[in-house]
Amino acid sequence: IITGPTGAIGIALVNLLISKGFRVTVVVNPESKRVENLPKSELLSLIYCDLSDLKSISGFKCDTFYHLGWKGTFGSDRNDLKMQEENIQFSKDAVQLAHRLQCKTFIFAGSQAEYGRVNIPISPDTPTSPESEYGKAKLKTGFECSKLCNQFNIKFIWTRIFSVYGPYDGANTMVSSTITKLKNNIIPEFTKCEQQWDYLYSKDAASAFYLLAEKGRHDQIYCIGSGQVFPLRYYVETIQKVIGSATPLKIGAIPYSENQVMYLCADITTLTQDTGFVPQYSFKEGLFDLLQTQ
């Protein structure tokens, strides 16, 4: 069972699980405009339910619960204290639902925002110092869900996701917006693009989540990323080359934000050691695959 199934990771995970013959139930926001992106399969069941109403679901059994659902992940919503705190209760409701469905494993989608700004590769043991309400809520949720899972004897796995790109990602992300603008001959504007960044393709992210359900350790934190960093300029120039666009890139047109994160890299050593996960797509290979779906 998967909450938040219509994002880049969610759809990639649904497709992967179905391809392996698993029956999948997805909990979809009744107002979702992206539900049509889910695959059509006899193995897929949809439940239309807001995260605030998870208590209404019961009556069947599942083995693994992926809690990807979260409200307020972009823009000013990330610092909306009320909205972010509501997510904590929704996540605890998800654990209660996992218990009712007799799930053996609960996998929580946390975020690199739980760490704050760090200038070295980030591992599960890196001290947390979240700056946004989003990051603070994700951190608190992890602890609360861990407690509940221990009470219910459910294996709890806490992931912290870095930058993932892929089909059906949000339109305002750097990768998606740059692709759209270059395809439409609109000059995209950027900062100086000196940030060192870690991007992971959504199919690789789905593979990591699948392997964690099989081999992840109870109460372990796993960083989900590629484990490699490149300057942001490399990524935007690679997008331009792969698309074959002659539209120029306006690098340096936007000032850095006051709290600009300049380095973001996941240390995936623990993830690889425990599950055997190794990314299969380079950034360029992921782009080629992504563009074939558009």
Side-chain angles (χ1 to χ4, degrees):
I1 184 168
I2 305 172
T3 65
T6 59
I9 296 176
I11 289 180
L13 181 57
V14 169
N15 281 318
L16 177 60
L17 292 169
I18 288 174
S19 74
K20 293 181 178 292
F22 290 98
R23 293 189 177 277
V24 180
T25 299
V26 293
V27 180
V28 182
N29 185 327
E31 299 179 0
S32 173
K33 297 176 181 177
R34 300 195 290 180
V35 65
E36 62 187 28
N37 296 327
L38 288 165
K40 306 298 185 287
S41 171
E42 293 180 355
L43 294 175
L44 183 64
S45 301
L46 279 67
I47 297 176
Y48 288 92
C49 179
D50 190 80
L51 290 175
S52 62
D53 198 31
L54 294 178
K55 293 177 182 178
S56 67
I57 301 174
S58 63
F60 58 100
K61 295 181 181 180
C62 283
D63 181 72
T64 300
F65 197 118
Y66 290 101
H67 185 47
L68 309 181
W70 195 272
K71 293 188 176 183
T73 58
F74 288 103
S76 60
D77 286 346
R78 289 171 70 94
N79 278 307
D80 185 323
L81 179 59
K82 183 176 183 295
M83 183 182 294
Q84 296 303 332
E85 287 188 336
E86 286 176 345
N87 282 302
I88 299 171
Q89 185 58 53
F90 299 158
S91 300
K92 291 164 72 173
D93 291 344
V95 177
Q96 296 279 356
L97 174 56
H99 179 55
R100 291 198 302 279
L101 302 184
Q102 301 180 35
C103 294
K104 300 180 181 69
T105 303
F106 186 91
I107 301 179
F108 168 61
S111 169
Q112 51 80 20
E114 296 169 47
Y115 292 105
R117 283 174 287 174
V118 182
N119 294 318
I120 58 172
I122 297 173
S123 75
D125 298 325
T126 300
T128 53
S129 184
E131 296 179 346
S132 66
E133 296 301 331
Y134 169 77
K136 293 173 186 176
K138 284 281 189 179
L139 182 61
K140 185 175 181 180
T141 298
F143 288 119
E144 295 292 330
C145 288
S146 174
K147 290 177 188 176
L148 278 176
C149 284
N150 278 296
Q151 289 177 24
F152 294 139
N153 198 29
I154 298 172
K155 182 166 75 171
F156 176 71
I157 296 171
W158 186 344
T159 69
R160 288 178 176 154
I161 302 169
F162 285 60
S163 296
V164 173
Y165 71 102
Y168 313 113
D169 197 5
N172 294 322
T173 63
M174 190 283 288
V175 174
S176 295
S177 63
T178 301
I179 289 173
T180 300
K181 288 175 182 176
L182 290 178
K183 279 189 168 185
N184 290 283
N185 298 317
I186 299 170
I187 297 175
E189 296 185 341
F190 305 95
T191 63
K192 292 181 180 179
C193 292
E194 299 163 318
Q195 304 96 309
Q196 298 285 321
W197 223 252
D198 180 333
Y199 271 108
L200 181 70
Y201 190 48
S202 57
K203 286 185 179 179
D204 278 330
S207 177
F209 274 96
Y210 170 74
L211 290 169
L212 283 171
E214 279 197 327
K215 302 175 181 179
R217 290 186 287 126
H218 174 58
D219 254 349
Q220 175 63 52
I221 295 169
Y222 294 95
C223 294
I224 308 294
S226 71
Q228 292 185 307
V229 289
F230 296 97
L232 206 60
R233 185 178 191 121
Y234 162 79
Y235 295 111
V236 299
E237 290 180 345
T238 299
I239 293 171
Q240 184 188 44
K241 290 174 184 175
V242 169
I243 291 176
S245 173
T247 302
L249 307 172
K250 204 168 183 181
I251 294 174
I254 301 173
Y256 289 126
S257 63
E258 183 180 351
N259 296 318
Q260 178 68 54
V261 176
M262 295 301 295
Y263 184 89
L264 193 64
C265 179
D267 181 342
I268 62 172
T269 302
T270 305
L271 175 63
T272 301
Q273 287 177 343
D274 287 358
T275 70
F277 170 76
V278 177
Q280 299 301 303
Y281 291 84
S282 67
F283 183 72
K284 183 182 289 187
E285 290 168 340
L287 279 178
F288 278 119
D289 191 73
L290 164 59
L291 292 169
Q292 287 178 357
T293 69
Q294 296 183 334

